Amino acid sequence: MVRRVAIIGAGVGGLASVKCCLDEGLEPTCFEKSEDIGGLWRYTDSTDGGRVSVYRSVITNTSKEMSCFSDFPCPEDFPSFLPHSLLLEYFRMYAQHFDLLRHIRFKTTALSVRKRPDFATSGQWEVVTETDGIRDSHVFDAVMVCTGHYQEPYLPLASFPGINTRFKGQYLHSREYKDMEAFRGKRVLVVGIGNTGGDLSVELSHVAAKVFLSARSSTWVFSRVSDHGFPFDMVNTTRFNHFLDWFLPSAITKRIRFQKFNSWFNHANYGLASTKSSNFKVIINEELPFCLLSGTVVLKPNVKEFTESSAVFEDGTTEENIDVVLFATGYIFSFPFLEESVRSLFDDNRSLYKRIFPPQLEKPTMAIIGLVQLTGSVMVGAEMQARWVTGIFAGWNKLPPASKMMADVFKKQPLVKRNPSERENLKISFISYTDEIASCAGVKPSVPRLLLTDPRLALAIFFGPCSPYQYRLVGRGKWSGARDAILTQWQRTLKPLRTRVVDDDSDGSSGWRWICLVALPVALTAGFLLSKHPRLGWSPWAGLQL
């Protein structure tokens, strides 16, 4: 029986894991090498010690209602999209409310995690830690690794001939970027057009002499602000849209998505993407289109090579007098504290059962939390993983035999291995994955059942945002406030905007009621079909629901 659980890391996954362990009556001990909680989201000016943190100006890409812990809504006066300081404040509120800090050992590094000699029968682990130069050894019944996938910078210098031999300027990875002042008046080349590359290009355009943005793949850009000014993820990440995505032919959904993308601006005119693109990524950035339109950011193709002071691109063009090259090429994950026999069991998260469990272990007493990449909030996914995992550790849930877990892993392996920057684009549908783990944990809500018992709630769940509160309606960990949190989520979204009240006679509530009434049969049919045909798919749309 698992009792003592070691948790490595006190970021969002670690906090959720500590709380879920306590909910299941387990005894968690969390080891955090820094002096505070928050992980990646705790901003610091320094990059010393190898710690990765966000840059100064970062704001969340997912809204507060779609990113919060499922039984602890964000304060209603918080804006929908949070700067890192407010998100960290929310984490502190969560930790204080559930009394989590007393289970965390700060400034304590996990040096090694090894199987005990009797692991085949006990499933126990030996964890060696270091605090202030003093090493200590512990024995735990289970381990939850919560270090995430932003661990080691991916810097593929070999793909850019001349960068470290001929180029005389400065080059650095985005991990080292904190603010724009060091780049004032310089000509900067940003390599990589993910969310980070887009953000940094826009920010640097305010102070740099010129910013060039090198993109290897086709890229679609969309805004966090959706129709009528609501958060994009709240409007689009719904079970109804998920049903349409499952029900309609892929060619139709692809065409609809491309039309949606181009309804904001024609991406082909900007050199970003074409509807004929087969390989592409999607990023979130409200300002990049204007920067391209105003010329403060210039889009370029992939870099072919570097000379002493210039970059030569694959289309034959050259940009002279480049002062700084900023690589926004992503991260790779590594677990140096795990013994090699364990680390070799998975080369990436697709070798893990449900992206969590190494299936070849004799005992399922190790879980990797938060390594999954979703089209929605990873924070919500990590909490759901932690709930399921701790239920297994506590004996409420069980895993299938190793052979079935391995078969499931092989079935979901991609045909072609990708480099780390490309892996970012191969994301799993947020609703598909979260629903699957929720089903395993016995906490997935049933829309057809709710239609019979609570129609108002059922319609809000099916047509409204698939917010994390939905997974607190039933099963273990059921929260009495979940229903009210779902029905009031739009009020919390609008609350921080009500700083100046204007007269407006328009009221769409009655129209919404008629739409829901007409759509009742659709919800019933869709709920039934999805319950009979669960779908877990890898989404190439990198963030978009229909």
Side-chain angles (χ1 to χ4, degrees):
M1 173 66 70
V2 169
R3 296 300 303 174
R4 302 184 68 237
V5 181
I7 298 169
I8 314 297
V12 60
L15 292 176
S17 296
V18 172
K19 195 260 186 184
C20 291
C21 281
L22 295 174
D23 288 346
E24 294 293 352
L26 304 176
E27 301 170 11
T29 301
C30 179
F31 300 107
E32 168 55 45
K33 65 180 179 180
S34 72
E35 68 276 9
D36 204 353
I37 64 172
L40 173 77
W41 287 99
R42 185 171 64 82
Y43 170 80
T44 56
D45 290 317
S46 173
T47 58
D48 295 339
R51 181 178 174 273
V52 177
S53 76
V54 294
Y55 39 95
R56 188 190 302 273
S57 62
V58 76
I59 294 176
T60 58
N61 282 336
T62 52
S63 64
K64 66 176 183 179
E65 294 298 321
M66 302 295 285
S67 306
C68 63
F69 295 106
S70 59
D71 56 355
F72 194 75
C74 275
E76 63 176 11
D77 59 336
F78 275 29
S80 284
F81 295 98
L82 305 177
H84 59 78
S85 57
L86 280 183
L87 187 60
L88 183 60
E89 181 180 340
Y90 170 68
F91 291 160
R92 295 194 196 285
M93 294 166 62
Y94 179 78
Q96 182 178 4
H97 181 79
F98 293 107
D99 195 20
L100 307 182
L101 295 181
R102 64 189 179 93
H103 301 279
I104 304 174
R105 299 187 185 181
F106 293 106
K107 296 183 179 180
T108 302
T109 302
L111 298 178
S112 70
V113 177
R114 296 180 176 275
K115 297 178 182 177
R116 295 270 291 168
D118 61 347
F119 180 84
T121 54
S122 70
Q124 291 184 326
W125 301 86
E126 181 181 3
V127 179
V128 177
T129 61
E130 183 177 77
T131 307
D132 296 329
I134 300 174
R135 296 194 175 190
D136 198 2
S137 180
H138 321 261
V139 175
F140 288 96
D141 300 313
V143 175
M144 300 174 74
V145 179
C146 306
T147 52
H149 52 84
Y150 294 101
Q151 298 174 29
E152 299 291 336
Y154 177 62
L155 194 58
L157 298 182
S159 300
F160 301 95
I163 184 64
N164 55 356
T165 56
R166 297 192 297 270
F167 184 63
K168 301 300 184 182
Q170 177 189 8
Y171 70 86
L172 68 158
H173 189 271
S174 58
R175 171 185 171 274
E176 300 176 63
Y177 181 93
K178 292 300 177 181
D179 59 42
M180 59 188 173
E181 285 305 316
F183 300 85
R184 185 174 294 275
K186 297 184 178 181
R187 290 169 61 85
V188 182
L189 170 61
V190 178
V191 178
I193 194 174
N195 284 315
T196 299
D199 282 351
L200 300 190
S201 296
V202 168
E203 181 164 294
L204 290 171
S205 71
H206 299 302
V207 298
K210 198 72 173 180
V211 176
F212 303 95
L213 175 58
S214 172
R216 179 175 57 185
S217 59
S218 292
T219 304
W220 298 95
V221 183
F222 70 94
S223 170
R224 279 165 282 213
V225 184
S226 187
D227 299 337
H228 307 293
F230 290 108
F232 181 90
D233 54 355
M234 292 187 71
V235 172
N236 287 271
T237 308
T238 70
R239 293 185 179 278
F240 176 65
N241 287 344
H242 182 64
F243 167 72
L244 291 181
D245 193 36
W246 170 83
F247 182 74
L248 295 176
S250 59
I252 294 179
T253 59
K254 181 178 179 180
R255 183 173 181 178
I256 293 173
R257 285 186 173 102
F258 286 160
Q259 288 179 343
K260 181 69 174 178
F261 290 149
N262 279 329
S263 67
W264 185 21
F265 67 95
N266 188 307
H267 284 64
N269 288 344
Y270 286 65
L272 283 164
S274 165
T275 55
K276 299 178 181 179
S277 305
S278 56
N279 295 316
F280 55 86
K281 65 174 66 173
V282 180
I283 67 171
I284 301 171
N285 199 302
E286 294 79 23
E287 299 179 66
L288 182 60
F290 178 73
C291 288
L292 295 173
L293 195 62
S294 63
T296 55
V297 174
V298 177
L299 193 65
K300 302 294 293 186
N302 195 38
V303 177
K304 180 181 178 181
E305 62 177 336
F306 287 93
T307 66
E308 287 189 356
S309 61
S310 63
V312 181
F313 299 91
E314 289 183 345
D315 63 354
T317 60
T318 301
E319 294 296 341
E320 304 284 352
N321 301 318
I322 300 297
D323 297 305
V324 182
V325 179
L326 181 57
F327 286 96
T329 45
Y331 292 82
I332 57 177
F333 57 84
S334 63
F335 304 101
F337 48 85
L338 294 182
E339 64 176 298
E340 178 58 29
S341 64
V342 175
R343 195 164 62 242
S344 63
L345 296 179
F346 54 99
D347 56 353
D348 62 24
N349 68 347
R350 296 180 191 88
S351 301
L352 300 169
Y353 180 63
K354 307 298 186 189
R355 304 297 204 270
I356 303 172
F357 289 100
Q360 303 98 321
L361 283 179
E362 301 96 315
K363 294 288 184 180
T365 55
M366 172 172 283
I368 313 297
I369 303 297
L371 197 60
V372 66
Q373 298 174 63
L374 303 176
T375 58
S377 171
V378 176
M379 291 185 278
V380 176
E383 185 197 25
M384 182 56 65
Q385 290 178 329
R387 291 177 66 188
W388 181 42
V389 167
T390 53
I392 291 172
F393 289 167
W396 295 104
N397 298 309
K398 293 187 180 298
L399 291 175
S403 58
K404 289 189 175 181
M405 290 193 288
M406 288 298 298
D408 183 80
V409 167
F410 288 138
K411 182 175 66 174
K412 294 170 182 173
Q413 286 281 2
L415 297 177
V416 179
K417 287 205 170 188
R418 300 169 177 258
N419 66 45
S421 63
E422 290 174 322
R423 288 179 200 163
E424 289 289 330
N425 308 329
L426 197 61
K427 296 186 177 183
I428 306 174
S429 161
F430 170 79
I431 295 180
S432 292
Y433 182 78
T434 312
D435 269 1
E436 183 179 36
I437 303 304
S439 295
C440 294
V443 297
K444 178 186 173 184
S446 170
V447 174
R449 186 176 296 114
L450 282 173
L451 278 170
L452 299 176
T453 59
D454 193 341
R456 182 188 177 195
L457 180 61
L459 292 173
I461 286 177
F462 188 71
F463 291 103
C466 186
S467 48
Y469 320 119
Q470 295 189 10
Y471 301 104
R472 290 287 180 175
L473 291 168
V474 296
R476 291 186 62 79
K478 178 179 177 180
W479 174 43
S480 60
R483 183 182 187 275
D484 183 66
I486 293 169
L487 297 179
T488 58
Q489 56 197 347
W490 289 111
Q491 288 93 310
R492 286 191 301 278
T493 300
L494 294 176
K495 171 69 174 179
L497 299 175
R498 305 300 194 194
T499 54
R500 178 176 179 267
V501 180
V502 296
D503 292 331
D504 187 1
D505 295 331
S506 62
D507 181 8
S509 59
S510 59
W512 171 247
R513 293 191 190 100
W514 278 108
I515 292 173
C516 290
L517 184 62
V518 172
L520 189 62
V522 177
L524 187 60
T525 303
F528 174 77
L529 289 175
L530 286 176
S531 67
K532 295 299 181 182
H533 301 279
R535 175 189 176 196
L536 177 64
W538 283 264
S539 171
W541 311 109
L544 276 196
Q545 301 294 330
L546 181 63

